[in-house]
Amino acid sequence: MAKRSMSLLGQWSSRVFSIDLDKRGALLNFALTEKPQQAPETFRNIQERCYSVLVCGDDRIQSARFYWGLEDLLRNELPAECELLPVSSYLPHVKDSLIRGYFLKDASECPSLTRRVLGALGLSEQVQVCSYLRGPDGGRWSQQLWSGSENQNMDVSKTCYVVPSEEANYHPSVLNMENSDVFYCRAEACKVLQESCDIIPESRAVLELVGKTDASRHSPDFPVVVIEGLDATGKTTLTESLREALGARLLRSPPQCLSPWRAVFDREPPLIRRAFYALGNYITAEQMGMEASQAPVIVDRYWHSTASYAIATAVSGPVSSLPPEGSPLYRWPPDLLQPSLVVQLTLDPQERKRRLEARGQGQTDEEQELDHNLLFRLRVEEAYRRVRGPACVVVDAGPSADKVLQQVLLLIKEHCRL
Ligand SMILES: Nc1ncnc2c1ncn2[C@@H]1O[C@H](COP(=O)(O)OP(=O)(O)O)[C@@H](O)[C@H]1O
Ligand SMILES: Nc1ccn([C@@H]2O[C@H](COP(=O)(O)OP(=O)(O)O)[C@@H](O)[C@H]2O)c(=O)n1
């Protein structure tokens, strides 16, 4: 059977391959042409025996799950000396054109094992394997698409040459974010869970809990205040105190009724996991609508968390790799109830670390991991700031719990009718 991915070939000359070189998100970009040219400068540092494995099946649920397990599969089967780097292949500026996979540098003593593993993978309908070879003059690199046959023949007629390419303005993942990482209406998030019912039976139970009414236009009688912020910024402490101080109802997103399934969806790839959290907001929104007809409502995390974590996780590297400020990716879903006020708690990184440690959740002291966390935290906080919708006020959660409470009570008085 002709592989679906063969149809990609026609477009490959305009595709850019973007290799995530390290956790800080430095990217190496190259494109392909039919004519040999000089290799990109940085490409020369890459050793011989490089391969790419791209996941490009038709079924988005299966592809997402296959990609999710691919790194483990490759690490288990390939020689330990194979370096794996995430690679994205995309058409610049073309929405939904991104295909993900891994770029491999094989420094092992056993090249035939690597080729055997990749040859077997290449037989799968949803995988495309390529080799990268340096030309006889040592300067040019070419890419050969594997035919996927058992003897790992390379399809020489499909040879393309590697040329340098401009780095994209934003991380390539931005092209595929809508309806893969962030869902802007209930129906799109429901579709993902409907498609996954056969492989994740828990999806049915979640779908049954999601109502169908559109409460977005209903204006609650009492204020609804959402408390947002990174882990350990003091959301639980503050929401409890606000509940007491205001005689309010306390809700959270994801709501309590989803707790039995949260761990199941946390193990799934972003497509499925994010759809689950998106639906959690709609369930919480229904509860908000009901509770706010009787008393003020305080909510621990809501849409800002869902959108910001999803966007910040989908890209790597510095804040500049996020979708630009004002991008429609930061919009509020029109069918999701807006709260009266969102308070975003921020905390000095050292103090946050101290609170995490006091709670018995020390972080790894591996420096690279800390760097990675630092950038991730910065991306989440910046995404929080960029999300549009209801008024969002940043509050420094560094002072004592009582001072933070008093400040937020003042804000609620200013912004909401009590
Ligand atoms: N304003 C504050 N000052 C000092 N410690 C705080 C303050 N607010 C919360 N804490 C402590 O920090 C830790 C994390 O707070 P918590 O409310 O659980 O955060 P979150 O719900 O955002 O993860 C807890 O041990 C809590 O007692
Ligand atoms: N409304 C929400 C709440 C959490 N989440 C996700 O849940 C994670 C935060 O969960 P957590 O367990 O650290 O939150 P807390 O319960 O500690 O406040 C984030 O990584 C988000 O991806 C979400 O997407 N939407």
Side-chain angles (χ1 to χ4, degrees), residues 136-389:
D137 60 4
R140 291 189 308 244
W141 283 84
S142 62
Q143 176 186 267
Q144 275 87 22
L145 177 70
W146 287 24
S147 67
S149 62
E150 267 171 84
N151 55 10
Q152 307 146 35
N153 278 344
M154 283 186 239
D155 194 338
V156 182
S157 65
K158 306 288 178 347
T159 296
C160 304
Y161 294 90
V162 169
V163 296
S165 166
E166 292 283 302
E167 192 172 320
N169 285 345
Y170 310 103
H171 194 282
S173 293
V174 170
L175 292 171
N176 279 37
M177 264 179 195
E178 185 159 350
N179 295 331
S180 293
D181 297 289
V182 196
F183 298 87
Y184 298 92
C185 70
R186 176 170 42 192
E188 287 297 337
C190 280
K191 253 193 230 166
V192 173
L193 262 63
Q194 276 150 5
E195 288 168 33
S196 58
C197 277
D198 287 346
I199 41 175
I200 311 167
E202 291 83 356
S203 299
R204 254 185 219 104
V206 175
L207 285 169
E208 274 165 23
L209 287 171
V210 181
K212 294 192 171 49
T213 51
D214 181 352
S216 60
R217 269 167 255 292
H218 174 76
S219 175
D221 301 322
F222 286 90
V224 176
V225 179
V226 171
I227 308 299
E228 289 281 4
L230 295 175
D231 198 17
T233 46
K235 296 182 297 300
T236 310
T237 310
L238 176 64
T239 50
E240 287 289 347
S241 313
L242 284 171
R243 179 168 66 97
E244 263 180 46
L246 299 171
R249 308 287 160 87
L250 181 53
L251 298 174
R252 63 188 326 270
S253 175
Q256 214 63 51
C257 61
L258 289 187
S259 310
W261 302 295
R262 191 171 176 186
V264 172
F265 287 91
D266 273 345
R267 286 193 295 270
E268 293 296 329
L271 173 70
I272 301 167
R273 177 164 187 251
R274 300 302 175 193
F276 169 82
Y277 280 106
L279 292 177
N281 289 325
Y282 287 96
I283 298 173
T284 298
E286 282 215 3
Q287 299 174 346
M288 279 179 187
M290 283 189 287
E291 298 290 355
S293 63
Q294 295 164 37
V297 175
I298 305 298
V299 192
D300 187 341
R301 292 193 188 270
Y302 191 48
W303 172 253
H304 276 72
S305 279
T306 309
S308 306
Y309 278 83
I311 293 172
T313 310
V315 305
S316 58
V319 163
S320 60
S321 54
L322 286 171
E325 180 126 39
S327 156
L329 290 166
Y330 298 112
R331 70 189 185 272
W332 191 274
D335 61 353
L336 183 67
L337 183 71
Q338 292 201 14
S340 333
L341 173 67
V342 178
V343 173
Q344 182 196 341
L345 300 180
T346 56
L347 198 54
D348 168 72
Q350 288 308 318
E351 171 60 11
R352 187 172 153 269
K353 192 163 170 256
R354 194 196 61 74
R355 289 188 193 176
L356 275 171
E357 276 164 5
R359 223 168 47 170
Q361 287 176 294
Q363 289 175 317
T364 164
D365 53 5
E366 211 182 292
E367 206 176 319
Q368 204 182 21
E369 195 56 31
L370 279 177
D371 274 356
H372 176 53
N373 286 342
L374 173 75
L375 288 179
F376 175 65
R377 208 176 53 233
L378 291 174
R379 292 198 303 272
V380 176
E381 291 202 315
E382 183 56 29
Y384 266 137
R385 276 189 274 278
R386 292 183 185 180
V387 168
R388 289 195 304 270

Side-chain angles (χ1 to χ4, degrees), residues 39-79:
E41 199 54 41
T42 30
F43 216 77
R44 292 193 188 155
N45 300 329
I46 292 179
Q47 304 117 23
E48 297 288 353
R49 288 195 268 130
C50 296
Y51 307 91
S52 64
V53 178
L54 293 174
V55 180
C56 39
D58 274 330
D59 182 319
R60 63 174 172 165
I61 302 287
Q62 277 184 15
S63 293
R65 292 187 110 215
F66 186 82
Y67 176 66
W68 197 233
L70 183 59
E71 182 175 355
D72 281 349
L73 187 146
L74 292 171
R75 285 202 195 284
N76 288 338
E77 307 244 330
L78 290 170

